[in-house]
Amino acid sequence: MKIETAAGTSSIDQTDRNHTYRDRTDMEGFQGGGQSSQQQQQSFGNLLPSPLAPPLVSNNPALEWVDLLLSGRCGTGTQQELLQSLQTGQGFSTGEPSGCSNEVLSEIFPMNSTGSAGVGVDVNDVRGSKGGGKMKKAAKPRFAFQTRSADDILDDGYRWRKYGQKAVKNSMSPRSYYRCTHPTCEVKKQVQRLAGDTSIVVTTYEGVHNHPYEKLMESLAPLLKQLQFLTRSF
DNA sequence: CGGGTTTGACCTGCGC
DNA sequence: GCGCAGGTCAAACCCG
């Protein structure tokens, strides 16, 4: 498995009009032939999670190959603040990405021409509430990053269930919607490939996990069992 | 059989 | 008001 820094910029194909996929054959080569996301997930090794940032961008050397959306495209102050906040374990999640133009945001997120969507913004998006409620959603931290990878699903240490997929305007690749499988966790993420460079995967996280790092807990489970056994022995 | 994926339908917001 | 686009739901389906 190799993931490289998604360097450089990619332009969105403005000519492509999208539609909802209705033919399964359209999905060939993208969904992985029915494999579960768990099977598709890559491993980032022993990266530790952060309460705000996903594990792969928090407090670890992986920053070298994780290219956040803002990298090199917004004010250097923003990038430095971003890296600093991640390296200090504080994460980057809320607030306006100062120095990042709407043009850049709208290129990354072509679905929102106003630039209200993007890195750390659009916390009051109320679209898609099928239930009919008119109440706005509670503000949730939202951030995104991009990686260069052959696989769409990155193993960030949490378990995700896919609940939807949509073709996105001005993008060749569909956008996939995932929810954290933890019962009390409402964190969502969107995964999409850049239209200009399909080797780059853009992952957008929304919300903060309110439960432990599941892969870590899984790996610790045998050890915990052993500890419980030993403590009972005394 | 349980959990995850697929996908058509439906909802809301926005621009014209 | 209408059409478009993004987001979500949920039934059907798939897989281990």
Side-chain angles (χ1 to χ4, degrees):
Chain A
M1 186 274 295
K2 182 182 180 182
I3 295 183
E4 301 170 352
T5 299
T9 63
S10 300
S11 60
I12 303 296
D13 181 6
Q14 298 292 331
T15 61
D16 179 58
R17 288 187 58 84
N18 293 276
H19 58 281
T20 300
Y21 284 90
R22 298 175 187 278
D23 187 344
R24 250 179 210 222
T25 57
D26 287 347
M27 306 309 298
E28 291 288 324
F30 179 78
Q31 285 295 331
Q35 276 188 314
S36 72
S37 62
Q38 308 301 320
Q39 292 169 314
Q40 291 180 350
Q41 286 184 349
Q42 304 170 2
S43 171
F44 283 93
N46 57 347
L47 305 181
L48 296 176
S50 159
L52 288 176
L56 68 167
V57 295
S58 65
N59 205 18
N60 63 65
L63 283 170
E64 290 179 7
W65 47 261
V66 172
D67 179 32
L68 297 149
L69 282 175
L70 302 179
S71 298
R73 309 198 56 195
C74 302
T76 54
T78 300
Q79 188 177 354
Q80 287 173 355
E81 287 172 11
L82 189 59
L83 292 176
Q84 186 178 6
S85 63
L86 290 171
Q87 286 167 341
T88 57
Q90 294 176 336
F92 173 83
S93 58
T94 58
E96 290 288 340
S98 59
C100 194
S101 68
N102 285 348
E103 185 181 345
V104 172
L105 290 176
S106 61
E107 181 180 326
I108 297 166
F109 295 91
M111 51 80 169
N112 194 330
S113 58
T114 64
S116 62
V119 181
V121 295
D122 193 29
V123 294
N124 290 316
D125 191 356
V126 296
R127 288 180 178 178
S129 55
K130 190 180 180 179
K134 290 184 179 180
M135 293 288 290
K136 284 197 171 187
K137 288 182 181 176
K140 290 181 180 178
R142 188 172 178 177
F143 53 88
F145 61 92
Q146 62 185 31
T147 54
R148 187 182 294 277
S149 171
D151 295 327
D152 300 303
I153 306 302
L154 307 178
D155 185 1
D156 55 11
Y158 294 95
R159 298 183 64 189
W160 301 94
R161 175 179 298 158
K162 187 175 185 177
Y163 66 88
Q165 176 174 298
K166 278 294 270 193
V168 181
K169 185 176 167 60
N170 297 328
S171 177
M172 296 283 289
S173 303
R175 177 180 299 157
S176 298
Y177 301 90
Y178 296 87
R179 246 195 290 263
C180 182
T181 59
H182 194 276
T184 63
C185 185
E186 296 184 355
V187 176
K188 298 172 187 174
K189 76 173 179 180
Q190 299 177 6
V191 179
Q192 182 184 12
R193 289 191 176 273
L194 276 183
D197 187 349
T198 56
S199 66
I200 295 177
V201 179
V202 179
T203 305
T204 305
Y205 286 83
E206 182 180 318
V208 179
H209 293 281
N210 59 3
H211 58 94
Y213 182 44
E214 297 196 15
K215 289 285 176 66
L216 179 63
M217 294 307 289
E218 285 176 14
S219 61
L220 289 177
L223 184 61
L224 287 172
K225 278 189 176 179
Q226 199 167 6
L227 279 172
Q228 287 176 344
F229 174 77
L230 288 173
T231 52
R232 274 200 299 267
S233 304
F234 288 110

